Every structure is written in C-alpha cells, then in structure tokens.
Amino acid sequence: MGKKVVVTGVPGVGKTTVITGAMERLAVEGIAYEAVNFGTFMFDVARKENLVSNRDEMRKLGKDVQKRLQQAAASEIAAMSINANVIVDTHSSVKTPTGFLAGLPEWVLRELMPDIVVLVETDPDQILMRRLGDDSRVRDMEGSRAIAEHQEFNRAVSAAYAMYTGCTIKIVRNENFLLEKGVDDLVSVLR
Ligand code: AP5
C-alpha cells in the first residue's frame, strides 16, 4: 500500500506550485509519487455530462451533483493509489453559493484514507494578489477577510478529518519570496 498525502488550501494559495516543486525535489532523491488533481477528475465527468464548461463553474453546481462528482473522483483516485505513493491536490472545503462544502466528506475519506492532510496557507493579502494576477481562472471576488475566514474554516474541518481517519494534519506556509521554504516543508512530510 502506498502513502496517501492530501494537499489542500484555498484557491490561489499555491498548492499546485508547492506540489510541483516537491515532486521535482523527490524525483532527484529517487522517491516516486503520483500527483493527481481531484478537481480534474471531477471536471472530466462534469464536462462529459455537459454540466459545466470550465472547472470554476463546478463549485456553483447543486450540492447533490457535487457529491456525485466527488464520489466518482474519490473511487478513481483510490484505485490508482493501491500500489503507488499518491499526492492528491484538492480542497478541505469548497466555497459554494450556499456555504462551505466539505472537500473530504465521509464518502471521500472512506475511499482515500489519507496518511497526512496538508494545509497550504499564507497571508490572505498575498492570496488576494495572486488571484488578481491570474487571468487564466474565473475567481470569486472576495476580500482578505473572507479569505482569512475560509482558511480558518479549513483548519476546523481538517480536525474532523483527523478524528475520522487518524491522519496527521500538517500546515505548510507558502509565503511570497519563500516558495522554497514551503517546498522544503512539504518534502519533509512526503519522504
Ligand atoms: P483546483 O483545480 O484545485 O482549483 P484551485 O483551488 O482554484 O487551485 P489552483 O490551481 O487555481 O490554485 P492553487 O492553490 O493550486 O495555486 P497555484 O499553484 O495555481 O479545483 C478546481 C475546482 O475543483 C474547485 O473549485 C472545486 O469546484 C473542485 N474540487 C476540487 N477538489 C474538490 C473536493 N475535494 N470536493 C469538491 N470539489 C472539489 O498558484 C496560484 C498563483 O500563485 C500562481 O500564479 C503562482 O505562480 C502564484 N504563487 C504560488 N506560490 C507563490 C509564492 N510562494 N510566491 C508568489 N507567488 C506564488
């Protein structure tokens, strides 16, 4: 059985950037991990069913539809992770029009059973600036305070994930000009 590490963080905090840096570092050390993006698995199903035209529309879908997409993604990723070390790039919670939706509800945790849940965080102002600088995505417009609340909610809901699975929770800071420090911290839990 491989190691399963779930990496989470609010949109634009730099999850994918830190994962990419860590994968490069681990490859040099000869440690193999598969990195998968949970949202991409959900999006493949949603696009085939003509539910959305871009990945940022998924969080606006009805709760039951998002739940079905989560289940499909979780079971596909679980099948991949039987014999490999896997990093899952996803969300502790997703901000939907009707409130926060758990990114790792019971039906996802049962499939994935992560060893570690990583929360990538940084100062809300930095996240706001990163979102404003990224034209490739359709970001929700929100201020630093709302971003801070989302990060706080992610810590709270992650405590429930630890209670359910026995996983550890690791907080990795990805601050401006300190990406390498964030990469170091992630590598240390992946080794
Ligand atoms: P997903 O694809 O994960 O979208 P996202 O959260 O918006 O992730 P991004 O890739 O845009 O942000 P990131 O944090 O990885 O930042 P990045 O590295 O690009 O999810 C898409 C959708 O799927 C979700 O909205 C949801 O609907 C659905 N979904 C996924 N998981 C789900 C789940 N479990 N349940 C239900 N739905 C789910 O970096 C951002 C920018 O910051 C870049 O420009 C980068 O260059 C810059 N940057 C990064 N680090 C630094 C640094 N240290 N200093 C300066 N700039 C930096």
Side-chain angles (χ1 to χ4, degrees):
M1 192 58 135
K3 194 164 168 177
K4 278 173 282 183
V5 180
V6 171
V7 180
T8 70
V10 299
V13 72
K15 300 177 289 297
T16 311
T17 306
V18 177
I19 290 170
T20 303
M23 294 281 288
E24 285 168 6
R25 201 81 74 70
L26 290 169
V28 172
E29 294 181 20
I31 300 171
Y33 266 91
E34 296 268 354
V36 297
N37 184 300
F38 197 97
T40 300
F41 279 80
M42 288 177 61
F43 184 51
D44 286 346
V45 177
R47 198 174 32 186
K48 268 186 213 137
E49 296 183 11
N50 287 320
L51 297 170
V52 292
S53 54
N54 71 60
R55 58 201 294 125
D56 291 304
E57 288 173 3
M58 290 194 293
R59 60 181 172 269
K60 314 266 166 50
L61 291 169
K63 185 162 70 72
D64 293 339
V65 179
Q66 291 192 59
K67 177 177 171 180
R68 185 167 57 77
L69 297 174
Q70 278 179 326
Q71 276 171 325
S75 60
E76 275 192 63
I77 293 170
M80 279 180 62
S81 66
I82 289 172
N83 295 314
N85 295 321
V86 175
I87 302 174
V88 184
D89 182 343
T90 185
H91 292 265
S92 289
S93 72
V94 176
K95 201 173 238 184
T96 79
T98 54
F100 291 119
L101 179 85
L104 304 170
E106 185 269 339
W107 52 88
V108 171
L109 287 174
R110 200 173 348 111
E111 295 276 3
L112 294 184
M113 277 297 175
D115 297 289
I116 307 168
V117 172
V118 175
L119 278 81
V120 180
E121 296 183 350
T122 193
D123 297 347
D125 289 346
Q126 294 181 3
I127 296 168
L128 182 59
M129 294 311 290
R130 289 177 198 171
R131 288 184 187 175
L132 290 173
D134 182 2
D135 295 335
S136 66
R137 300 291 299 268
V138 186
R139 303 289 189 193
D140 292 336
M141 280 301 131
E142 58 182 359
S144 295
R145 183 158 176 75
I147 294 170
E149 279 169 4
H150 193 176
Q151 291 199 126
E152 282 163 20
F153 184 80
N154 283 344
R155 283 193 181 200
V157 77
S158 296
Y161 303 153
M163 293 297 289
Y164 184 79
T165 64
C167 70
T168 54
I169 305 292
K170 170 78 177 174
I171 294 173
V172 167
R173 300 273 305 170
N174 176 34
E175 297 178 74
N176 284 355
F177 311 111
L178 292 171
L179 173 61
E180 286 311 306
K181 169 80 175 66
V183 171
D184 279 348
D185 285 351
L186 182 58
V187 166
S188 71
V189 298
L190 294 171
R191 266 198 197 103

